Amino acid sequence: MRIHIKGGRLIDPANGIDAQHDLYIADGEVVAIDQTPDGFGADQVIDASDQIVIPGLVDLNARLREPGQEHKATIASETRAAAAGGITTLCVQPDTDPIIDTPAVSELIHHRARQAGYARVVTLGALTLQLQGEHLSEMEELMREGGCIAVSNALNPLNNTLVYRRALEYAANFDLTVFIYANDPWLSNKGCAHEGAISTRLGLPGIPESAETVAVARDLMLIEQTGVRAHFMHLSCAQSIQKITRARHDNLPVSIDVAAHQLYLTEMDLGDFNSACHVIPPLRTQRDKDGLRAGLGSGTINAISSCHQPHDADAKLAPFCETDPGISALETLLPLTLRLAEEKVLSLSEAIARITSEPARILGIDGGRLGVGDRADVCIFDPQERWTVDYNTLASCGKNTPFLGWEMQGRVSQTLLAGQSVYQVNQ
């Protein structure tokens, strides 16, 4: 398939491009920019006039619910939703059922994703067996035979710090990045909301800021001792960002992502027990939200993730604390990121980098760029089109989003995966 994308504004932060260019694609790769290759005859011409052409989005943190929870969603349904949101690569956590602590489970996920054909899925292997924090997983086997690109203990704590240290040393030995959820389970104490005035008023058990910051401090010390490359997932506190800023100043190999919803919502959005806002880590204070935005602006926060967690309707109908935490977020990742540029938190090119080239760099994968010779994973969107987040039009099986009814600006019109169209609006 040979494709000519003409007349669009090409933004490719990895290659420093932000201007109107024509893109030529053949055999799944970008073969030229502006200059028509000799003998090139397009099978398809995409008119991208008045639209923006960017690399396909790379999402660092999504749960697809398969295997194990197919009543909530499947790999096919969620990768299709990802394509509708311009996402071409998804990174999934190891806390599936069964857990990704054997190559077979990882291979199954890759196989199902290839069968569906909407997006590329990469897997994190379990840091410890069954994520129980007691025995190290076979990381080399997960990487070599299962194709896992990094390891994580997902949301499960490692209570034994000696096991934690050994796990980090083992991962460092294989040059594997460890994805870390910074949380002290004793301080969290099964809370469900940020510990503060709102949780007190609602009578909800709170999760103090220290549950995250104490864990960040401990993790940084172990990272320094072991020399492992680490990535902190979906941080929520301004003080956490300050600690990691200092650690990076001291040249520790750490990176950070923040979930898009943490940049727009606070504890105030819990209102009167709005279970759509039940997330882990919890929505924090206005000061924390401002701190996260400042971290993005300064470059301390490397990436923005969806933290996608689709649920069935029943999962959000119980009393607040008993509902399942998480937001369905694949289709709002791009417009929420674009809004940061409108609000001058970042330039448009910097915002695009946080969801394309930066997460690709953290994962160590090809992607997130559209130079000549790069794989033709492409997202084309209309920056002016306004649309409303609607229960009936979300492609994800999960409709659990607090952004229902929000007006978004910027809508994906077409997504290409390795030069093949996997999504086209209104089709």
Side-chain angles (χ1 to χ4, degrees):
M1 172 70 81
R2 296 184 175 193
I3 301 174
H4 175 195
I5 302 175
K6 69 173 186 178
R9 177 184 171 186
L10 175 62
I11 300 179
D12 178 9
N15 288 302
I17 299 173
D18 184 357
Q20 184 171 322
H21 290 290
D22 282 12
L23 207 61
Y24 296 88
I25 295 169
D27 300 326
E29 292 186 353
V30 176
V31 293
I33 297 175
D34 282 341
Q35 298 294 323
T36 309
D38 292 340
F40 185 93
D43 301 305
Q44 181 184 7
V45 177
I46 299 174
D47 184 358
S49 303
D50 301 322
Q51 300 194 68
I52 294 178
V53 180
I54 63 174
L57 277 56
V58 178
D59 187 8
L60 286 173
N61 193 350
R63 286 173 172 79
L64 308 180
R65 302 305 188 199
E66 182 182 0
Q69 292 186 304
E70 287 83 352
H71 63 287
K72 291 179 182 283
T74 64
I75 290 173
S77 71
E78 300 317 286
T79 52
R80 179 171 173 269
I87 299 167
T88 52
T89 301
L90 291 157
C91 178
V92 300
Q93 293 288 318
D95 53 354
T96 49
D97 183 16
I99 289 166
I100 308 176
D101 62 358
T102 66
V105 181
S106 182
E107 289 170 2
L108 171 69
I109 292 170
H110 291 147
H111 175 68
R112 295 276 169 82
R114 285 193 297 270
Q115 275 187 321
Y118 294 112
R120 194 169 292 104
V121 173
V122 297
T123 52
L124 302 184
L127 187 66
T128 60
L129 287 176
Q130 292 295 297
L131 301 177
Q132 292 180 350
E134 296 177 357
H135 304 285
L136 307 192
S137 67
E138 293 293 342
M139 297 181 203
E140 183 186 19
E141 190 179 34
L142 287 169
M143 176 180 65
R144 182 168 39 81
E145 298 181 18
C148 295
I149 59 169
V151 288
S152 172
N153 225 51
L155 301 180
N156 298 60
L158 284 106
N159 298 332
N160 186 324
T161 46
L162 179 59
V163 173
Y164 195 8
R165 175 189 167 186
R166 299 297 185 218
L168 298 185
E169 288 173 338
Y170 197 46
N173 190 45
F174 296 112
D175 196 29
L176 281 167
T177 300
V178 177
F179 278 53
I180 294 173
Y181 166 52
N183 176 57
D184 183 303
W186 292 278
L187 288 170
S188 287
N189 195 26
K190 300 181 180 177
C192 62
H194 171 69
E195 184 179 275
I198 302 300
S199 62
T200 300
R201 177 173 68 81
L202 298 176
L204 298 173
I207 301 174
E209 186 179 276
S210 57
E212 181 174 294
T213 55
V214 166
V216 166
R218 180 196 65 170
D219 295 343
L220 287 173
M221 293 302 293
L222 290 173
I223 292 165
E224 182 178 20
Q225 184 172 17
T226 61
V228 73
R229 189 172 56 245
H231 175 75
F232 286 92
M233 303 184 289
H234 46 66
L235 289 175
S236 64
C237 299
Q239 281 200 22
S240 302
I241 307 305
Q242 293 172 5
K243 291 181 186 303
I244 294 174
T245 300
R246 178 66 198 180
R248 289 173 65 166
H249 177 75
D250 293 338
N251 295 319
L252 257 64
V254 293
S255 53
I256 313 168
D257 78 76
V258 60
H261 57 257
Q262 294 280 4
L263 300 166
Y264 289 94
L265 305 175
T266 69
E267 58 177 344
M268 299 296 290
D269 291 288
L270 267 60
D272 292 325
F273 306 101
N274 180 6
S275 62
C277 290
H278 182 193
V279 293
I280 297 294
L283 299 175
R284 301 287 185 180
T285 64
Q286 180 67 40
R287 180 177 58 82
D288 288 307
K289 189 183 85 170
D290 292 343
L292 296 179
R293 286 177 164 228
L296 272 174
S298 67
T300 303
I301 296 177
N302 305 85
I304 304 170
S305 66
S306 72
C307 205
H308 177 68
Q309 296 198 53
H311 288 298
D312 56 324
D314 289 347
K316 291 289 188 181
L317 292 180
F320 188 92
C321 274
E322 298 173 20
T323 57
D324 291 339
I327 288 175
S328 178
L330 293 175
E331 292 153 270
T332 52
L333 176 60
L334 177 62
L336 289 177
T337 302
L338 296 176
R339 186 176 290 200
L340 293 170
E342 291 176 25
E343 296 175 358
K344 310 299 183 187
V345 177
L346 298 164
S347 70
L348 181 57
S349 181
E350 289 170 335
I352 297 300
R354 297 300 199 281
I355 51 176
T356 57
S357 54
E358 281 294 305
R361 183 185 61 77
I362 291 166
L363 292 170
I365 61 171
D366 291 332
R369 53 192 302 147
L370 285 175
V372 174
D374 289 326
R375 189 171 53 217
D377 291 348
V378 185
C379 168
I380 305 170
F381 68 93
D382 183 341
Q384 300 303 322
E385 184 170 345
R386 295 179 182 274
W387 59 286
T388 301
V389 182
D390 184 271
Y391 181 97
N392 296 308
T393 56
L394 285 175
S396 170
C397 285
K399 313 299 180 185
N400 50 299
T401 168
F403 298 110
L404 286 177
W406 279 44
E407 184 180 74
M408 301 287 177
Q409 183 171 345
R411 186 165 206 174
V412 176
S413 57
Q414 190 155 357
T415 303
L416 305 179
L417 179 68
Q420 300 293 320
S421 179
V422 290
Y423 172 78
Q424 193 166 356
V425 70
N426 298 327
Q427 280 194 355

